[in-house]
């Protein structure tokens, strides 16, 4: 039997929309970061703290993905940042067509950058390109330092790793998390990954992450490889 190679990649529906979103962000010169983590790692709290910290420096809009409820979107709204809620109605990841529709509801020209908070799931959101300029993976210390080794896909694809809840570390704590091990394992998968240990609760480590964001928002295409 002869094998026929059509020599052309047929794009999936998601890839088509992702490519349109890439063009949208390029045309509007906006940084868009796709935040991915397990449930409960602190994505929303990091966003709120970051928005408040950068209030006078850059304007941030948020696309909030959840399976159900608008609990997180309402928390973001309290910061006065523009926010659009997507409910996936059971699906455990966001898709590029959903982002394309949400962008029409955001005042994009008034913003410096857009965060997408993906559905809490460390596995399959990494397989759905949304057209973003970069993925930010969040790992909280309560989840364990073995996660980069156990879930390599998302760590290999992310531009940034935020190690959250570092305020739980230290003497007398129940939490056993080796930051150096997590960093080494993440860098083995992705030598260029930027890593910021922080606590969205106490604000420790937040300044370095915010500085990186300001720089990246000024030059959204930097580090962009798709
Ligand atoms: Mg959340
Ligand atoms: Zn999924």
């Amino acid at each position: 039997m002869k094998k026929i190679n059509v020599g052309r990649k047929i794009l999936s529906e998601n890839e088509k929309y992702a490519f349109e979103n890439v063009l949208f962000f390029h045309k509007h010169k906006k940084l868009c970061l796709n935040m991915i983590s397990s449930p409960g790692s602190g994505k929303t709290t990091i966003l709120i703290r970051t928005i408040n910290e950068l209030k006078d420096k850059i304007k941030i809009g948020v696309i909030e993905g959840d399976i159900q409820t608008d609990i997180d979107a309402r928390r973001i709204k309290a910061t006065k940042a523009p926010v659009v809620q997507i409910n996936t109605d059971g699906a455990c990841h966001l898709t590029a067509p959903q982002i394309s529709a949400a962008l029409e509801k955001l005042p994009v020209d008034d913003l410096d950058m857009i965060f997408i908070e993906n559905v809490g799931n460390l596995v399959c959101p990494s397989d759905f390109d949304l057209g973003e300029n970069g993925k930010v993976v969040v790992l909280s210390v309560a989840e364990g330092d073995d996660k980069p080794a156990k879930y390599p896909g998302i760590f290999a694809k992310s531009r940034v790793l935020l190690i959250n809840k570092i305020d739980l570390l230290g003497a007398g704590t129940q939490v056993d998390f080796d930051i150096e091990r997590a960093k080494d394992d993440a860098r083995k998968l992705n030598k260029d990954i930027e890593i910021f240990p922080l606590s969205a609760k106490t604000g420790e480590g937040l300044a370095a992450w915010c500085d990186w964001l300001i720089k990246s928002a000024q030059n959204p295409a930097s580090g962009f490889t798709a």
Side-chain angles (χ1 to χ4, degrees), residues 210-221:
C210 286
D211 286 347
W212 182 88
L213 264 185
I214 291 170
K215 253 184 265 153
S216 302
Q218 284 163 351
N219 186 10

Side-chain angles (χ1 to χ4, degrees), residues 2-226:
K2 253 190 168 174
K3 208 173 161 190
I4 299 166
N5 185 350
V6 294
R8 202 176 63 134
K9 196 182 169 198
I10 298 163
L11 293 178
S12 72
E13 185 76 353
N14 192 74
E15 286 171 312
K16 266 188 244 168
Y17 275 93
F19 185 61
E20 283 188 14
N21 293 344
V22 167
L23 296 180
F24 178 93
F25 296 127
H26 183 74
K27 184 178 139 207
H28 292 268
K29 296 189 172 61
K30 304 298 175 197
L31 176 70
C32 175
L33 297 175
N34 178 8
M35 218 173 197
I36 296 173
S37 79
S38 306
S41 67
K43 293 186 295 302
T44 312
T45 308
I46 291 172
L47 283 178
I48 290 168
R49 187 90 197 211
T50 302
I51 289 165
N52 286 331
E53 207 75 27
L54 293 176
K55 219 156 219 169
D56 303 325
K57 291 174 183 144
I58 54 174
K59 282 205 150 176
I60 297 174
V62 179
I63 297 172
E64 185 62 47
D66 279 292
I67 292 177
Q68 293 288 345
T69 80
D70 61 350
I71 294 170
D72 288 355
R74 278 189 279 136
R75 290 176 64 203
I76 301 281
K77 211 171 201 169
T79 68
K80 307 239 164 63
V83 55
V84 176
Q85 173 78 56
I86 299 171
N87 277 139
T88 61
D89 212 14
C92 54
H93 58 269
L94 292 174
T95 64
Q98 289 170 331
I99 299 306
S100 172
L103 287 170
E104 288 178 23
K105 297 183 196 156
L106 274 182
V108 173
D109 290 325
D110 299 338
L111 302 173
D112 295 301
M113 70 155 298
I114 295 149
F115 268 110
I116 299 166
E117 182 179 339
N118 218 309
V119 178
N121 177 347
L122 214 45
V123 185
C124 83
S126 73
D127 289 331
F128 287 82
D129 184 9
L130 305 179
E132 72 273 12
N133 307 113
K135 294 177 178 37
V136 174
V137 58
V138 181
L139 172 62
S140 69
V141 299
E143 296 165 61
D145 51 24
D146 57 355
K147 292 301 169 291
K150 288 173 87 167
Y151 298 90
I154 183 58
F155 293 89
K157 287 180 185 171
S158 290
R159 240 171 107 174
V160 177
L161 163 59
L162 300 181
I163 301 177
N164 191 25
K165 307 191 189 180
I166 57 169
D167 53 293
L168 295 178
L169 299 176
T173 174
Q174 303 261 23
V175 179
D176 216 2
F177 185 101
D178 182 342
I179 287 195
E180 292 313 312
R181 178 190 173 189
K183 282 183 177 175
D184 286 350
D185 285 354
R187 288 200 176 108
K188 261 181 234 157
L189 296 160
N190 180 346
K191 66 178 171 48
D192 297 321
I193 196 166
E194 303 268 0
I195 304 176
F196 301 104
L198 55 85
S199 164
K201 194 175 172 192
T202 66
E204 186 183 352
L206 211 77
W209 156 240
C210 286
D211 286 347
W212 182 88
L213 264 185
I214 291 170
K215 253 184 265 153
S216 302
Q218 284 163 351
N219 186 10
S222 67
F224 180 60
T225 51

